[in-house]
Structure formats: structure tokens, C-alpha cells
Amino acid sequence: MTGSDGLSQASVKRALVFRLLERFCAEHALVLTAGDPHGHAGMVENTAGKRRYFVGARFGLNNQSAAEIANDKAYSAHFLAKNGIPVPEWLFLPGDEISDKDPLPEKLVSFAQQHGFPLFAKPVAGQEGKDVVRIGSPEHLQKVLAELVQRHDRLLVQQAVSGREFRVLVLDDEVLCVFERLAPAVIGDGEKTIAELVSGLAALDPTDDRFKVELLRQDLSLHQVPEPGRRIELLPVRNLSSGGTAILLDANEYPGVADTARAAARALSLRYAGVDLLLGKSDAQDHEALVLEVNAAPGLSNLARLGQEEAALVEAIYQRVFQAAFLEN
């Protein structure tokens, strides 16, 4: 088989999804063709000649419009709330309403007064936790928004809610897995500075301005030497792509989280989704969970890299996803 670029698939340095899909297709008499040298996109054809395409972790399971709604944080929060799904309070801000010279919009001032600080600011269409900033004061709010609007034309300011954060994968109302996400962090050893500890983490950029904000929140700086055993969170996000980590959980032990994730996927008409939730009370497993975001094309490569157990789970999940995408219907 060859891809559209004429390269033999044997010579392709394949992405994780492609490697797993290659095995799946061989086991089910499907023809797989790579669309690029790394297998980030491709075509699957059955013996009857029916073709289905994929790009990254998008396998055609979700309606395109529903996927676009899900990946827009303002739209998804609006429709989740309309369907009775609990979400943090939020405020949408068009970029043309933000300036580093003019006062903050009155609706934003009122929102901040109502909910207090900290708040979170984020791009409406952002992914992987990029440009998500924890805001600690009105002055910081104006500075951060003025910077973000240089890169994004639509922003969201969101109520900060403390608690445990989960990612739940849902396929056709079935929960495939639940894991808790932890922020990227270092552990003090009494010898190295925080900057030295951070330099050993390949997924993190030590020049990220958010480091300073998070360290200041903990009364620390990059040049301090933390005491042995102290855990220091480095970013305001818990995405695995940003250097976070995960703990696999039993979905049966968190029925409220699992049920809310199912409801969120149904509310946005998604067959396949990664639902990010926050459980506000760590001592109440069935406490109502808030939906933070919904991803219509959740990637699992970073989870697979965490260890053998995680890699085996990812392979099993993709087997179910491939079956639904390429064998059913």
C-alpha cells in the first residue's frame, strides 16, 4: 500500500493512532492508506470499496457542526447550560472590546466583582491548555487580556472553582475510561532551584510567563530552593500535553462524574467525546461535577506515554473507536 505522496507505508514514521489503526485494519481485512509521511491522516477502505477518512483523532464519528460547537468554549458552555449541564460561570469577550489603554468593559468589571479573584482567562478556540491564565487582580486581568487579544479574537473569562479535575472518554453513551488530571509540578529536593527542577521536564517551556504567576501564588520564585518533598504546581492547567500527569480511576467509583460526562456528550450530540470535569468536593465522590470543556476529537498519545497500564488502556480504547468508525453502520 502507498499513501497519496507515493511513500511506502513501511517507510512511514507513523503516529500512534496510525500504528494502532494499521494493526486493526490488518485484522479486519481493511485497506489503510496514509495521507502523509507520518500517518496523521488517511483513508480506510473495506472489501466492498466503501471509504472512510480520518485526520488525527477525528474519525468521522461526530457530526462536523456538533464538533465545531464543542470545540468553541463559548458555544459549548452556552448549550451545555441550556441543557441543564452544570458549568462554571463564564463571560464571553469579543477581542474588539479589549484594550490595554481603555478601562475594562463594565460587564467584565461586574463579573469580576460578582465572582471575585482568581478568575481564568482563555481563548474561545484554544486547545491543550495554551494561553489559559489564572488571574489574581483587576490589574493583572487587564494586562493578560490585552496580551491574549493580540493572538486571539475571542476570549472567555471564567469563574475559578477549586477541586479535582477529570477527563472522561465517552463513546455512544458508554464510558471508556476515567482519569484524574494533575497539573505539571516538580518536587523539591532541598538542593536544586525550581528553575533547575523545571529544566528537567521536556514538556515544559521555562520561559512561559505563567510560571511566574503560579509560583507567586505559592510565595515562590524560580530561583528558590524548595524544601524536600514539597510539591510545586507550575501551570494553571492540567492538560497532559502541557506536562501534566494522570491517575487512572474506576468509573464505578465516580458515578456523578460518569453520568455528567454522558449527559454532556448527549447534549452536544457527540458520539465520541473527551469531557473535562471538575469535582468540587474531594470527599464526596457523587457530588455534582461541573463540565469545564468538551473535546470532540480527544487525543490519547500523551496518556499512552505515561506507562504500560496507560498504553494498554489507550490501545483498548482505540480498538472500540475504530470498530465504531470503520466496521459499524
Side-chain angles (χ1 to χ4, degrees):
M1 294 180 289
T2 59
S4 61
D5 55 6
L7 292 177
S8 166
Q9 289 188 0
S11 68
V12 171
K13 183 179 179 180
R14 298 172 181 85
L16 171 65
V17 171
F18 192 92
R19 287 188 279 109
L20 295 176
L21 184 54
E22 190 173 40
R23 186 189 313 166
F24 179 86
C25 288
E27 293 171 351
H28 293 88
L30 300 171
V31 177
L32 173 62
T33 303
D36 61 78
H38 300 289
H40 293 311
M43 178 185 72
V44 175
E45 185 175 6
N46 65 18
T47 54
K50 184 175 182 179
R51 298 174 177 179
R52 296 185 179 181
Y53 293 85
F54 68 93
V55 178
R58 300 187 293 278
F59 305 105
L61 288 167
N62 293 322
N63 173 277
Q64 182 176 349
S65 297
E68 290 181 4
I69 290 291
N71 291 329
D72 184 296
K73 296 179 178 63
Y75 280 139
S76 59
H78 172 77
F79 286 111
L80 287 169
K82 283 288 187 182
N83 283 276
I85 309 299
V87 297
E89 296 291 333
W90 56 278
L91 178 68
F92 170 69
L93 291 169
D96 57 11
E97 294 185 6
I98 303 300
S99 168
D100 59 350
K101 299 177 182 178
D102 299 327
L104 294 172
E106 183 57 37
K107 62 182 179 182
L108 178 54
V109 173
S110 298
F111 184 87
Q113 290 175 341
Q114 178 183 357
H115 297 289
F117 291 93
L119 296 169
F120 280 95
K122 59 181 70 174
V124 164
Q127 294 182 336
E128 299 182 340
K130 294 177 181 177
D131 281 342
V132 176
V133 183
R134 192 195 310 266
I135 307 294
S137 68
E139 296 76 20
H140 188 211
L141 178 60
Q142 182 147 19
K143 178 178 182 294
V144 166
L145 293 181
E147 292 174 352
L148 290 179
V149 80
Q150 301 302 313
R151 299 187 292 275
H152 309 280
D153 60 357
R154 297 178 302 147
L155 303 174
L156 208 67
V157 174
Q158 193 174 65
Q159 169 193 22
V161 183
S162 61
R164 301 169 65 189
E165 188 173 314
F166 299 81
R167 163 65 65 93
V168 181
L169 291 176
V170 179
L171 173 64
D172 291 331
D173 217 39
E174 174 189 354
V175 171
L176 301 180
C177 79
V178 177
F179 57 89
E180 183 173 359
R181 303 200 303 184
L182 303 177
V186 292
I187 307 298
D189 62 4
E191 298 180 1
K192 296 185 180 69
T193 65
I194 295 174
E196 290 172 329
L197 294 170
V198 171
S199 67
L201 303 177
L204 297 178
D205 176 6
T207 65
D208 191 328
D209 288 339
R210 294 179 297 175
F211 280 146
K212 297 178 182 178
V213 176
E214 289 305 297
L215 293 177
L216 183 62
R217 186 175 63 86
Q218 300 167 79
D219 296 322
L220 293 169
S221 72
L222 281 169
H223 304 295
Q224 285 182 256
V225 177
E227 60 270 24
R230 180 174 179 179
R231 185 176 189 274
I232 300 149
E233 293 192 355
L234 301 170
L235 291 175
V237 295
R238 303 176 188 180
N239 305 65
L240 301 188
S241 57
S242 298
T245 189
I247 301 173
L248 301 180
L249 301 172
D250 182 349
N252 294 322
E253 296 182 2
Y254 296 86
V257 170
D259 289 345
T260 302
R262 290 191 189 96
R266 288 196 301 267
L268 298 182
S269 296
L270 297 174
R271 290 185 62 190
Y272 179 49
V275 184
D276 297 336
L277 308 98
L278 190 137
L279 192 62
K281 292 185 177 180
S282 60
D283 60 343
Q285 293 176 338
D286 60 349
H287 184 74
E288 182 177 69
L290 298 176
V291 175
L292 300 175
E293 296 181 13
V294 179
N295 191 321
L300 301 175
S301 297
N302 289 309
L303 179 61
R305 295 188 186 102
L306 294 181
Q308 293 183 348
E309 181 182 5
E310 291 83 356
L313 174 62
V314 166
E315 183 170 351
I317 290 171
Y318 274 130
Q319 288 288 314
R320 286 284 296 109
V321 172
F322 295 158
Q323 180 177 347
F326 304 117
L327 292 182
E328 298 173 3
N329 301 323

